[in-house]
């Protein structure tokens, strides 16, 4: 009996979504997939959706990287080139997420500091960094 309970817990954790997203994030993710796949539908790798406080105000902001979008008709986002893809950075304003930056890159990541750095690789493998300065990303 104990073994069955352990297996049930493991199965539930594998099948459950990794992170619950806000309604604003779900809306923007669906919108970006629709645009990326010309309305044909698709999906996004959960790692390509980063909900984290990027401005240090205690509210979760958002990054959506087109690198993680796969279209139902085959292929990847139409916002990807040979080396890099578009990624969008949104800042939370009340219940809404407002587009703050549109960038090109691959392997987008965010560190865990109070006002974190957004890091990615650009064309030719160049390393880039973006950080909130109190009024905008620089």
């Amino acid at each position: 009996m104990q073994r069955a309970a352990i297996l049930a817990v493991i199965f539930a954790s594998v099948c459950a979504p990794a992170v619950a997203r806000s309604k604003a994030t779900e809306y923007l993710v669906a919108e970006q997939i629709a645009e990326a796949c010309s309305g044909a539908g698709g999906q996004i790798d959960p790692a390509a959706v980063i909900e984290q406080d990027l401005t240090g105000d205690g509210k979760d902001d958002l990054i959506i990287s087109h690198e993680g979008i796969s279209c139902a008709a085959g292929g990847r986002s139409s916002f990807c080139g040979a080396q890099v893809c578009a990624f969008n950075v949104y800042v939370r304003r009340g219940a809404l997420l407002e587009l703050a930056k549109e960038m090109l890159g691959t392997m987008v990541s965010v560190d865990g500091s109070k006002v974190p750095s957004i890091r990615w690789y650009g064309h030719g493998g160049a390393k880039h960094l973006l950080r909130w300065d109190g009024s905008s990303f620089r």
Side-chain angles (χ1 to χ4, degrees), residues 12 56 79 89 107 118 120 125 134:
F79 294 98
V89 180
M107 298 177 61
I118 303 166
W120 73 95

Side-chain angles (χ1 to χ4, degrees), residues 66-130:
H66 280 257
E67 182 177 22
I69 295 176
S70 302
C71 298
R76 59 192 205 157
S77 169
S78 61
F79 294 98
C80 290
Q83 292 185 355
V84 297
C85 295
F87 68 92
N88 298 332
V89 180
Y90 301 87
V91 173
R92 187 161 298 278
R93 304 273 189 233
L96 301 177
L97 288 162
E98 184 179 289
L99 183 62
K101 276 285 194 196
E102 294 177 283
M103 306 296 292
L104 293 173
T106 187
M107 298 177 61
V108 179
S109 66
V110 178
D111 67 29
S113 58
K114 177 155 175 52
V115 179
S117 296
I118 303 166
R119 299 174 190 275
W120 73 95
Y121 293 92
H123 286 98
K127 293 180 182 181
H128 295 279
L129 180 134
L130 192 64

